[in-house]
Amino acid sequence: MLRERIDKVEERIQAAARRAGRARGDITLVAVTKKFPAEVIREAYGLGLRTFGENYVQEFQGKAPALADLAGTEFHLIGHLQSNKARVAADLFQVIETIDSDKLARRLDQMLPRQMDVMIEVKLSEEESKAGAAPEELPGLIEAIHGCAHLRLVGLMTMPPWNADPEAGRPYFKRLAELARVHRIEKLSMGMSHDLETAIEEGATHVRVGQALFGPRPKTQT
């Protein structure tokens, strides 16, 4: 079942890349495994997936020991990071996609003994529940990250308001791509299971896919 889902998502990514005149190799599939146990990640690894996204520091902290032997994996934090969890996150993740303040950037930098790739989460919707830096805050935040010895800014990330229509996210994806061009930032993390094609057409380099790969999330973690 997982093999079939991976193949289907791969077909969707390839088709979208062809329509956009882009190379498949320029797009990273981030398999979102929040609420799924380590065994599911191991199964996905065995089927060729190498990049995984987790939303919660504490949840992944519980799974990480069972995954330590998986060579070549890259774990991304794609959920909000609180400053008081920066030390733990620094040990667990290879990429943090949700830097949204200079305070958080400096705190994370202090916790790191190594270089880490980070992305800035940009809030482009009016939803109160959405986190992220406002577009007008980007120049100052970019400057702050560049001033951190251990952080390497590689991309921007956003999450549009939920809408079942995959076209509804297009204005947000366009806006993020525009901001990346203005600030000369290379990577764009945007698009999920239902709208990954739209995101790829607008320049996504990372698509965060959970349900299309793993099905509905368990009600409780096992």
Side-chain angles (χ1 to χ4, degrees):
M1 180 67 73
L2 180 55
R3 171 79 274 171
E4 294 171 0
R5 287 172 171 165
I6 292 173
D7 289 345
K8 186 171 183 179
V9 169
E10 179 60 31
E11 289 170 5
R12 291 173 60 192
I13 292 172
Q14 290 186 21
R18 283 195 300 271
R19 287 196 300 274
R22 301 180 59 199
R24 168 64 183 91
D26 293 337
I27 302 158
T28 298
L29 171 59
V30 181
V32 179
T33 48
K34 72 173 182 180
K35 299 299 183 184
F36 286 95
E39 291 76 17
V40 171
I41 298 175
R42 295 190 71 89
E43 181 185 3
Y45 179 91
L47 293 171
L49 299 187
R50 292 294 181 270
T51 307
F52 299 91
E54 289 279 335
N55 286 65
Y56 308 112
V57 173
Q58 190 169 352
E59 179 193 337
F60 186 59
Q61 187 178 21
K63 294 190 276 192
L67 305 169
D69 62 318
L70 300 185
T73 50
E74 188 173 87
F75 290 99
H76 291 218
L77 179 63
I78 60 172
H80 180 66
L81 176 61
Q82 297 174 314
S83 291
N84 63 359
K85 291 188 171 65
R87 181 182 295 277
V88 178
D91 292 335
L92 291 174
F93 296 97
Q94 286 72 52
V95 180
I96 292 180
E97 296 194 11
T98 52
I99 301 297
D100 61 1
S101 71
D102 53 359
K103 174 187 174 184
L104 177 58
R106 287 192 294 266
R107 175 69 172 164
L108 181 63
D109 185 53
Q110 292 169 359
M111 301 296 106
L112 283 164
R114 57 183 169 84
Q115 289 288 307
M116 174 181 275
D117 289 349
V118 299
M119 299 185 186
I120 295 174
E121 182 174 9
V122 185
K123 182 177 180 179
L124 298 177
S125 77
E126 298 299 320
E127 286 185 308
E128 290 295 327
S129 61
K130 291 289 189 290
E136 59 269 22
E137 296 173 326
L138 282 177
L141 183 48
I142 290 168
E143 183 178 1
I145 293 174
H146 286 327
C148 292
H150 300 104
L151 303 186
R152 183 169 48 239
L153 178 61
V154 298
L156 301 179
M157 178 265 223
T158 200
M159 185 176 294
W162 165 254
N163 193 308
D165 179 3
E167 281 297 313
R170 192 178 295 274
Y172 300 92
F173 301 151
K174 281 181 178 290
R175 178 61 173 145
L176 194 71
E178 177 186 343
L179 289 168
R181 285 190 294 271
V182 168
H183 296 290
R184 299 181 180 180
I185 295 173
E186 180 182 357
K187 297 181 179 179
L188 295 169
S189 176
M190 57 191 193
M192 298 187 292
S193 290
H194 69 295
D195 59 4
L196 66 87
E197 289 91 348
T198 308
I200 289 170
E201 289 165 6
E202 297 301 333
T205 62
H206 292 65
V207 289
R208 308 182 303 270
V209 180
Q211 186 164 337
L213 290 171
F214 304 110
R217 296 186 188 98
K219 295 296 184 182
T220 57
Q221 187 181 349
T222 57

